[in-house]
Amino acid sequence: MQDDPRKIHAQIIKTHNTLEQHSLPLLNKLITFYSNSRHFSDALSIFRQIPFPNVVSWTSLISGNPNSTHSLLHFVDMIRHSIRPNQRTLASILKICGSICCVSFGMQVHCLSIKLSMASRVFCGCALVGFYSKCRVVDHARKVFDEMPQRDEVCYSSMVVGFAQNCRPVDALAVFGEMVSRNVGSTVYSVSGALTACAELAALEQCRVVHGHGVVTGISRAVYVSTGLVTAYGNCGMVNEARRVFDESLSEMNIVGWNAMMASYAHQGDKCSVLELFRLAESQGLVPDDYSFLAVLTSLYNAGLADETEKWINKMKVNYKLKPSLEHYTCLVGALGRVGKLDEAEKIAMAMPMKPDAGVWRVLLSASAAHGAPETAWRMSKRLLELNPSDDSAYVIAANAFSASGRRNEASEIRKKMNNLRVKKEGGRSWIEVHGEVHVFMAGDDKHEMIDLVYSKLAELVEEISKLGYVPNWSEMIHDVEEGEKREGLSYHSEKLALAFGVLSGAAPPGKPLRILKNLRICRDCHEAFKYFSAVLEKEIIVRDVNRYHTFRNGSCTCGDYW
């Protein structure tokens, strides 16, 4: 336990003349001690007693101030007093700029560091990488990183984490790979950053490689790393592997790790496992937080349990004194919509203590389409378009809802409106990982090196499932085209191409699931086809679309045909 700074202060007064220059190092340390003990007013008082504060004095004052704005003012004041900052001073002020996303001030500090020939030095360079990354100017961070003649494990960690936190997972893994190839030491931050990238990509083989690296370097049991592994394996749909890591690290896991495991089950729609973990966490003395309840509510929503979802929202407010966020209410709206209580769901959306976002209206839009309520779907589409006039899903889902109800004229009008406003439907893309390499397929792809064999295999598979009763769902088509073109479009959706390639290339050995990622919501035709594919191939198929995981097994899906 740290000593009381007042005792240290008293000792200094007894043994030194505090106003003499030879006691300056002690006074500087005292400023730091008071700041670390959250007695900044005392730290400031000490600073003001120093007749000629040096750069260490100013740096201690800047880094210890809990008020970020005051720290920036102290830094300006230091420059006005002609005190030349050192690397630690610049690193401290850059960290503060990053925490409050003050880009303009931070860039001026960057300019100053260049004038002082410090920008390329390890300590200051790492601080610049961290600053730009936190301010989401990650290309600037990479430029600073590339211009550094020497880079240590802290620099690499900053760059890996920077890319991972700015939705650049491929770049994050590339920097991580470079770090390992150059025998630069790993840290819990670089490994957890790489795992964040694996989770976003749902890249299972990459996840296993990073996991192995963590084991070899002895940091796989660190709480940041084990939590990252749980999240990454969960996002890859490998919930059993996530649970294995969780159980092995149980003694070190905090509530964040428990939430990660609950979230993995929730995305699979396994409410029983989520609720079991929730109760077990409480029995271990952990206090559930907002994310714990979000996992519970997500699992209940995915399971279609509207009444239980509402009960848990109330329990969250009354028993745990937690304020539900927009994400919590979205689960409730979605659960009500799933069971067909569209009016009640819309009333809750309008009565929420916060303004509904696009996610709320999109959930209601999908529910309306699923329950054959095209008018409600179109009304939800309009609400969605008020927030984003270029949202293609608002037109597509509503048009398909009218088309499925046999109201082709209304569907055609929506499509015309979409074309007149030049709103383009986002192209479908699917990913499949084979032997550590990710293959991407577009709808109607013709660029993959094995595309002819892929189409041939897909034709075989479609012929086989047709014998079992598969009939294409034409209502999923968004454009008015000839019947032959419709057939081609449905047959060549990106997830079907990825599946055929996976079968051809042996992506999943016997007993292992075949895993596919998709950038959009899986259409009803593909969903129906994949149920048949799982039966014909006698293989579990996992598809992660933009909404949730679908695990196809023996002709059925874990989503219960609702997503």
Side-chain angles (χ1 to χ4, degrees), residues 162-181:
F163 275 132
Q165 292 181 343
N166 283 277
C167 302
R168 299 270 290 272
V170 174
D171 292 321
L173 290 174
V175 173
F176 183 81
E178 178 188 322
M179 179 194 77
V180 174
S181 67

Side-chain angles (χ1 to χ4, degrees), residues 108-148:
Q108 292 180 64
V109 175
H110 186 182
C111 292
L112 179 61
S113 71
I114 293 173
K115 290 179 180 178
L116 297 175
S117 300
M118 294 184 189
S120 297
R121 295 185 188 178
V122 172
F123 200 72
C124 187
C126 288
L128 284 165
V129 170
F131 156 68
Y132 282 122
S133 297
K134 288 178 181 176
C135 293
R136 301 195 174 280
V137 196
V138 72
D139 287 328
H140 284 27
R142 182 61 198 250
K143 188 172 187 298
V144 172
F145 179 82
D146 289 340
E147 290 174 352
M148 295 173 65

Side-chain angles (χ1 to χ4, degrees), residues 220-239:
S220 62
R221 295 294 291 273
V223 66
Y224 280 133
V225 176
S226 55
T227 300
L229 282 167
V230 170
T231 301
Y233 279 128
N235 277 22
C236 291
M238 310 302 288
V239 70

Side-chain angles (χ1 to χ4, degrees), residues 44-240:
L44 184 59
S45 178
I46 297 297
F47 178 83
R48 286 171 175 166
Q49 293 179 43
I50 302 174
F52 301 106
N54 62 9
V55 64
V56 179
S57 312
W58 283 99
T59 302
S60 298
L61 186 72
I62 290 166
S63 60
N65 198 323
N67 187 311
S68 300
T69 303
H70 288 175
S71 290
L72 301 186
L73 294 174
H74 289 317
F75 179 77
V76 172
D77 202 20
M78 182 192 77
I79 300 299
R80 286 173 177 166
H81 280 77
S82 300
I83 302 296
R84 176 176 173 149
N86 58 24
Q87 284 200 75
R88 189 168 296 276
T89 317
L90 296 176
S92 296
I93 202 68
L94 286 167
K95 182 178 180 181
I96 292 165
C97 289
S99 67
I100 59 175
C101 205
C102 189
V103 180
S104 58
F105 197 102
M107 292 185 78
Q108 292 180 64
V109 175
H110 186 182
C111 292
L112 179 61
S113 71
I114 293 173
K115 290 179 180 178
L116 297 175
S117 300
M118 294 184 189
S120 297
R121 295 185 188 178
V122 172
F123 200 72
C124 187
C126 288
L128 284 165
V129 170
F131 156 68
Y132 282 122
S133 297
K134 288 178 181 176
C135 293
R136 301 195 174 280
V137 196
V138 72
D139 287 328
H140 284 27
R142 182 61 198 250
K143 188 172 187 298
V144 172
F145 179 82
D146 289 340
E147 290 174 352
M148 295 173 65
Q150 293 183 320
R151 298 185 286 265
D152 62 8
E153 64 272 14
V154 178
C155 294
Y156 271 101
S157 293
S158 297
M159 198 66 257
V160 171
V161 172
F163 275 132
Q165 292 181 343
N166 283 277
C167 302
R168 299 270 290 272
V170 174
D171 292 321
L173 290 174
V175 173
F176 183 81
E178 178 188 322
M179 179 194 77
V180 174
S181 67
R182 294 190 177 185
N183 294 317
V184 177
S186 300
T187 69
V188 294
Y189 302 108
S190 59
V191 174
S192 62
L195 289 170
T196 298
C198 292
E200 184 173 345
L201 292 171
L204 179 59
E205 294 305 319
Q206 293 292 331
C207 179
R208 286 174 173 156
V209 168
V210 177
H211 187 181
H213 178 78
V215 172
V216 170
T217 54
I219 57 177
S220 62
R221 295 294 291 273
V223 66
Y224 280 133
V225 176
S226 55
T227 300
L229 282 167
V230 170
T231 301
Y233 279 128
N235 277 22
C236 291
M238 310 302 288
V239 70
N240 291 333

Side-chain angles (χ1 to χ4, degrees), residues 217-265:
T217 54
I219 57 177
S220 62
R221 295 294 291 273
V223 66
Y224 280 133
V225 176
S226 55
T227 300
L229 282 167
V230 170
T231 301
Y233 279 128
N235 277 22
C236 291
M238 310 302 288
V239 70
N240 291 333
E241 292 192 40
R243 184 58 186 262
R244 191 176 301 115
V245 172
F246 176 80
D247 289 340
E248 289 172 355
S249 309
L250 191 56
S251 59
E252 291 89 13
M253 281 290 184
N254 55 21
I255 191 62
V256 178
W258 284 77
N259 290 344
M261 191 64 246
M262 285 190 280
S264 297
Y265 281 125

